[in-house]
């Protein structure tokens, strides 16, 4: 009997957690209420996801270690990231690595939804990415 109750509880939690995360922009926390809170939450999400996602999407090329790129993308009011492109890259950054960087941002989890003081228009963002091939470095 207890096993059945626990199994049912697990199913309910599994079904409710994604919707809670979706409502809060993917974090499971309440959505940011101000622009300052949004910037902090978005910055944290980007920093937490960039390098792990790059490693998961493709093998980092050792010759790219220390290279960098500037990425531009649009964040929509619902938190979706769209229109990702590289606007500047180190001279030695291979086309393959540039493709991985773009793919990293295209598959990034949603940012938190915009709070009321940000308005309803998409926001253009640029981010500098430094390639770090050593998995022990942050």
């Amino acid at each position: 009997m207890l096993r059945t109750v626990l199994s049912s509880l697990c199913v309910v939690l599994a079904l409710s957690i994604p919707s809670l995360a979706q409502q809060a922009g993917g974090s499971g926390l309440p959505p940011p209420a101000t622009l300052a809170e949004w910037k902090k939450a978005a910055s944290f999400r980007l920093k937490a996801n960039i390098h792990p996602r790059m490693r998961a999407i493709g093998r980092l090329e050792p010759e790219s270690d220390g290279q960098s790129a500037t990425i531009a993308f649009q964040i929509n009011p619902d938190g979706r990231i769209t229109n990702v492109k590289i606007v500047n890259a180190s001279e030695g950054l291979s086309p393959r690595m540039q493709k991985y960087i773009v793919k990293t941002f295209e598959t990034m989890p949603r940012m938190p939804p915009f709070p009321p003081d940000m308005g309803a228009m998409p926001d253009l963002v640029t981010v500098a990415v430094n390639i770090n091939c050593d998995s022990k470095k942050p």
Side-chain angles (χ1 to χ4, degrees), residues 64-103:
S64 296
D65 196 29
Q67 301 288 333
S68 64
T70 303
I71 314 304
F73 54 94
Q74 183 174 310
I75 300 179
N76 296 292
D78 65 357
R80 285 179 300 118
I81 293 176
T82 57
N83 302 325
V84 180
K85 63 182 176 180
I86 293 182
V87 293
N88 191 16
S90 296
E91 190 174 314
L93 193 61
S94 73
R96 180 179 170 188
M97 282 305 300
Q98 291 182 36
K99 180 179 138 187
Y100 286 150
I101 293 169
V102 169
K103 183 80 168 168

